Every structure is written in C-alpha cells, then in structure tokens.
Amino acid sequence: MSHPDPVPSGPDPSGNRLRTLVLGGARSGKSAFAESLAGNGPVRYLATAVPDPADTDFAARIAAHRARRPADWTVVDGADPATVLHDDHPGATLVDDMGTWLTARLDARGAWEEPRGTITPDVDALISAVAQYPGRLVLVTPEVGLGVIPATRSGRLFRDEIGTLNQRLAQVCDKVYFVVAGLPMLLK
C-alpha cells in the first residue's frame, strides 16, 4: 500500500528529529500506515500491550501485528515509552499503541474508579519523553471520540483520558496524521 508524503527512515534530511503521531479508529489501518512511516533501516518497535493469556481475540491481533513486521526490527514487548524513550535509537522508534499504554497505566494506578487526572503524572512523563526524544519517532494512538458515548464509567474515563493524551501528543509532535478506511490525512 502506497501512502502520500512518506517519512524517510534515518535522520530527517534537515538534520532535525521528527516526531509523528498517527491517529485512527479501530481497524482504520493506522498501525500499518505507521509501520510504513518507520521505513527501512534499524527500527525499534515498542509494543505497549500487556496481553492477557486468556484473551485469544487480543492474542490473534498481536500475532497479526507480529507477522506483518520485518524480522530485523527490534521489538520491546510490554514497553513503557515514558521510560524507553530516554534511550536513543539509531533508526526510527515506533510506539504501538498509546491506548494499550494508557490502559496499562490506569491498571497500574488502580485508577478505573478514581477521578479523571489520576494518571496525569504518567502522562506528563510520557509527554516530556516524547518532546525530548532526539530521534525519529512514530506514535500510534486510537481516536475514540467520534463514536457514541460509552455506557460505562470506565469507558467514559478511557475516552476522556485518551482524548486529553492525544491532544497533548499532537502539540509536541511535528506531524499528525488521521487514518480513516486506510487513507491517511495529514492534519499537521
């Protein structure tokens, strides 16, 4: 699949770092598009999901992502990008995805029944790490604010927290894409 305005691998031709945020809904093609942005060369893939062995549907999704990735990519499973991004990488770093990172942080803080903002220190640390990251960075995140209002408190909490996180990431990223039906649109 060819995409407009691809991001080359390696350093930005101008010598500057490049941070790219890729937003999209479920099954929008956001991960595949982000993987195409990572390009060739050394790629470090930060897989943020913490899989539940009993969840076979989610395990199948993870397996599909693994099968699609080039074998020479360095994969860090269960990664916390707020920590890992303090270590530079010679090529692109791809983080997939911020929704599973957010879920892990909500779980770690027991924040599902707590007030909004309970994970603000985690979000602040992530935003700081992204803003200071010296290399090429591609972040994948779900856009969940276009659907119905979730019926559960935890669903509304996740929607609100990911919306705030996405806004903050978009502020510190150089490019922002929104992927719909496999079609990327450059927003910033």
Side-chain angles (χ1 to χ4, degrees):
M1 177 187 306
S2 170
H3 297 288
D5 195 24
V7 176
S9 63
D12 185 317
S14 66
N16 298 323
R17 65 184 174 194
L18 182 63
R19 294 160 301 201
T20 303
L21 180 64
V22 178
L23 300 116
R27 298 291 193 221
S28 64
K30 65 186 177 293
S31 291
F33 176 67
E35 289 165 7
S36 77
L37 294 178
N40 300 319
V43 174
R44 175 174 59 176
Y45 185 99
L46 306 183
T48 61
V50 180
D52 174 357
D55 188 343
T56 57
D57 178 63
F58 195 55
R61 286 175 179 251
I62 291 171
H65 277 245
R66 284 184 179 142
R68 189 174 62 220
R69 289 192 299 255
D72 63 340
W73 284 13
T74 301
V75 177
V76 181
D77 284 314
D80 179 0
T83 302
V84 178
L85 291 178
H86 290 289
D87 299 325
D88 194 13
H89 180 72
T93 295
L94 172 62
V95 181
D96 196 358
D97 90 353
M98 301 318 307
T100 53
W101 173 83
L102 178 67
T103 299
R105 298 316 311 144
L106 287 164
D107 287 346
R109 288 198 179 264
W112 289 104
E113 297 300 323
E114 298 300 317
R116 281 157 181 74
T118 299
I119 60 163
T120 297
D122 300 295
V123 172
D124 290 346
L126 174 69
I127 297 302
S128 177
V130 169
Q132 295 174 22
Y133 189 70
R136 182 169 305 286
L137 180 61
V138 181
L139 304 159
V140 179
T141 191
E143 176 52 63
V144 299
L146 300 174
V148 297
I149 296 173
T152 63
R153 183 185 191 295
S154 59
R156 290 187 300 274
L157 173 70
F158 180 84
R159 181 210 50 203
D160 292 352
E161 293 286 2
I162 197 74
T164 300
L165 174 61
N166 288 348
Q167 288 182 52
R168 293 187 66 193
L169 286 169
Q171 290 173 354
V172 298
C173 285
D174 306 298
K175 284 191 174 186
V176 178
Y177 288 93
F178 183 53
V179 181
V180 178
L183 303 172
M185 296 178 287
L186 182 63
L187 302 179
K188 174 184 173 186

